[in-house]
Amino acid sequence: MNKRFFLIAIPVVAALYGLDYFLNEYINEYVVRVIMNCGIACILSMSLNLVNGCAGQFSLGHAGFMAVGAYVAATLTTVFPAGPSFQSHLGVGMAILSGGIAAGLAGYLVGLPSLRLRGDYLAIVTLGFGEIIRIVILNIEAVGGPRGLPGIPRLSSFFWIYVWAAITGLVLFRIIRSSVGRALLSLREDEIAAESMGINTAKYKVQAFVISSFFAGIAGGLFAHYQGFVDPSSFSFNRSVEVVIMVVMGGMGSISGSVIGAIIVTVLPEFLRFLDKFRMVVFPLILIILMLLRPMGLLGHKEIWQLFRFKRSLKKAVA
Amino acid sequence: MTLHAFIQNLINGLAAGSVYALVALGYTMVYGVLQFINFAHSDIFMLGAFGGLYLASWLAGVHPQPLQLALIMIGTMAFCVIVALTVERIAYRPLRNAPRLNVLITAIGVSLFLENLSQVVFGADPQLFPSIIKTVPLLEGDDIILNNIQVLVVGVSLFLMLILHWIVHHTKLGTAMRAVSFDIQIASLMGIPTDLVIAFTFVIGSSLAGSAAILYGLSYPKIEPFLGVMIGLKAFVAAVFGGIGSIMGAAVGGIVLGLAEVFTVYYISSSFRDAIAFAILIVILLVRPQGLLGSVRKVKV
Amino acid sequence: MSTEAAKRLLWLDDVSILFGGLKAVSHFNFHLKPRELCGLIGPNGAGKTTIFNLITGVYKPTSGAITLSGEGITQHPPFEIVKRGIARTFQNIRLFGELSVLDNVLISYHMKIGYNYPDLLLRTKRFVTVEADRVKKALSLLAIFGLDARADLVASSLPYGDQRRLEIARALATEPKALLLDEPAAGLNSREKVDLMETISMIRKRFDLSILLIEHDMKLVMGICERIVVLDHGEVIAEGSPREIQDNPKVIEAYLGVD
């Protein structure tokens, strides 16, 4: 923890707080909702990028972890007898954190099969886990089953969503720029070579899953306390696919790319409203064209600022 | 549980499983050749159901009924083949040397495109598939009903699978397909026109999906644009269960899945109907990742 | 530890492996002494790379035991074996192609415990110093191979010969006691081969380690190895100094066949 960190963090937090006030007072509700959805999407895409983009483990079950986070957090604040004591900013924060931890545990369980499976097989298993989580929730009457869970206190504000987005970005970025991140990247590049260089591939795969699903759970909790209502259909396979699209569109392994991908995937449909019912036809078409013309995504493996700075001076890094 | 109920479930499961098996074959064959999950396959199935629905209203005047059904089925298969070949040519072939993840994402994109386009064209509301053949109970005992549709479904499926088996194992084309699935590069060096073989794999897979769609429509006459999603996932699970790339495996996997589902609904709860497929999937992948009849491919170091 | 055991850094005791009924390696007995440079030769398909895969834990032997410095490593996973001091290169280069040259080497330093999650999340002083040290170490290692100036480049963009050298550098970064080189001269021109011979001798002296070398280029093997083991059909058919091997009729037979 250094001085520079606080010099940046304090103004950022203050700015977010100010923006929160500004949005509530002056901006119409529709725009605010899109901005909120962007923030949640950013958390989801950045966190999935750790597993998909960095570690190269293709996961199609992110919505499942989001569901765990959303339902655990919402249960604490809404269904749980002591719920009302959670209905403050601090309480909701604790509930959301609990949701994240629960999702992290779920991620641990899903990470285990990833030790034995590769590529498409893993994709289909994570998809299966995601669906199972959803179906299990469908069958829990205490949280409303298929009808969903209404009456969740709407306490995730712009401020909280974006503070969490910033934390997610910072944590993931620091992980990637460390020996843990390099180990994950080596998994993506060549698992056998990684193992032969002393990387405990199993351990890192599971770690990647846990960290990634923790943040997906946080996103779920924020989502629940922003919407005021959750139901199992919000966490279907399509949601997982949406997040994968964000990651691939931005560029595998690029955190800033994920942010860009999240914003495009969230905002673009709003701009395509004039297409009316063809809107959802054009969207996958854009995805296919992107894959054909720019398969590495918008930023590739790079971060956005690396596109403008060509050579990193190593001498400086050592000194 | 009564024996009668058990037998009834067995019959229902076999009929449901045959449809899964036919769809699963399309997944397993494409996976065998190109090593990717053709997510759009489920939507080829869905389009087949709609194609059959429109064909049936066109051919409503044709008699006798079996001829009408045969025409509808052949027409639907042709329609599915055209769609699948178009998809392969436009979306998949340019990506033949791209990372597998890109192909997978493209397949998901194609799938979403077909689903959403169908929603625009056919509307979101379920439509009723015409009963081309009247349901006639063939065997009616206490608690056991076996009707002609069920026999038709199982019979046609079996017939198509036998043809497929013959193609793969007793024709030059089948040999080429097996060679391509063994190693696409070497196959191409041996003078096998790989693009053609791959296209033909799509032809077979999609025509099976088309026939499966008609059989499905006859048994469960409610058709909607997202019909393929669940069936496709389950058929893929069936393919993985049987051992992906194995034709026999896909057939066995489909039947097992159909039975498992019907019995789950009867003995546990209908709300876990969709979960059982994934539970089976996870168990099989943990216990025997290569599937029931699949073979292990050692990664070369 | 007895003096006999001390002479053995790596010991393969009666190791066999079956692939679907086929004996790829059968009753293989072998030991590598500290600081020894030993060659492993044999016709294609003799089982040389399989032996590397057995030693490094990629394959588990059907029977037999593998011991490193007196400790059994037969059932260890590959990453544990690297930690205990065996590093390797691959016949068909397996670099982390999309990562930088520097990152390729840094990954190998990874297992030396340097910092934990709180350190890296909070960018503590420890994190910063450990990272800087590693970069410094990696660059000086790359300098030995003349790659330090290109540390920023993506590994797959290096010319072929440099990729081979980078693979050796990456293996050395794990600080091994024994280095296994799988056909390091494959695809190199004659000038590069001479350079490689010098590099291998230099590595052994400078890093004070044993080297086991699979190679088809006889001039190279005969030129630098002290001892050569010849393998055919998964079995040892000859062993000895380069001179002894050159004159061994069995070896000539294995390579040229008999009339």
Side-chain angles (χ1 to χ4, degrees), chain C residues 243-259:
Chain C
R243 161 126 291 158
E244 288 162 2
I245 295 299
Q246 262 167 341
D247 302 331
N248 190 316
K250 265 186 171 170
V251 177
I252 296 165
E253 191 188 305
Y255 271 92
L256 302 176
V258 270
D259 298 317

Side-chain angles (χ1 to χ4, degrees), chain C residues 97-114:
Chain C
E98 291 290 308
L99 307 185
S100 73
V101 169
L102 179 68
D103 280 342
N104 266 274
V105 175
L106 284 176
I107 283 166
S108 298
Y109 287 129
H110 142 99
M111 57 189 170
K112 303 278 175 298
I113 300 156

Side-chain angles (χ1 to χ4, degrees), chain A residues 1 171 174-175 177-180 182-183 185-186 188-190 192-200 204 207 211 301 312 314 318, chain C residues 78-79 82 88 90 94 96-99 102-103 106-108 110 115 117 120-123 127 131 134-136 139 151-152 170:
Chain A
M1 209 48 91
V171 166
R174 290 195 161 175
I175 288 174
R177 289 291 164 86
S178 77
S179 70
V180 176
R182 285 192 295 265
L185 288 170
S186 76
R188 179 186 76 192
E189 294 295 314
D190 188 329
I192 290 170
E195 187 100 356
S196 296
M197 293 306 125
I199 308 284
N200 183 347
Y204 282 103
Q207 281 183 6
I211 296 166
H301 291 324
R312 184 166 53 128
L314 284 167
V318 178
Chain C
F79 71 91
V82 186
R88 75 176 292 183
F90 295 89
R94 295 187 91 122
F96 305 121
E98 291 290 308
L99 307 185
L102 179 68
D103 280 342
L106 284 176
I107 283 166
S108 298
H110 142 99
Y115 49 77
Y117 269 99
L120 75 88
L121 290 180
L122 302 176
R123 290 262 151 109
F127 172 85
E131 279 289 294
R134 281 180 184 169
V135 173
K136 214 182 273 177
L139 284 176
D152 264 350
R170 184 182 69 171

Side-chain angles (χ1 to χ4, degrees), chain A residues 58 116 121 125 139 280 295, chain B residues 101-102 104 116 244 271 285-286:
Chain A
F58 193 42
R116 300 190 50 174
Y121 280 91
V125 162
N139 284 287
M280 294 325 278
Chain B
L101 182 63
N102 289 80
L104 196 64
N116 294 332
I244 197 124
S271 51
L285 283 177
L286 292 181

Side-chain angles (χ1 to χ4, degrees), chain A residues 233-287:
Chain A
S233 69
S234 317
F235 309 105
S236 65
F237 170 58
N238 281 339
R239 168 81 62 161
S240 298
V241 170
E242 218 175 80
V243 186
V244 170
I245 292 172
M246 294 171 193
V247 172
V248 176
M249 192 179 267
M252 303 294 272
S254 166
I255 294 293
S256 47
S258 290
V259 171
I260 294 170
I263 292 170
I264 292 175
V265 173
T266 316
V267 175
L268 192 64
E270 305 298 330
F271 280 109
L272 293 177
R273 273 190 193 281
F274 70 91
L275 291 170
D276 197 31
K277 46 185 189 174
F278 281 95
R279 184 165 68 123
M280 294 325 278
V281 180
V282 170
F283 190 65
L285 215 52
I286 293 174
L287 180 72

Side-chain angles (χ1 to χ4, degrees), chain B residues 238-263:
Chain B
V240 174
F241 177 79
I244 197 124
S246 153
I247 288 173
M248 193 62 186
V252 173
I255 302 288
V256 170
L257 201 70
L259 290 172
E261 222 175 82
V262 168
F263 280 103

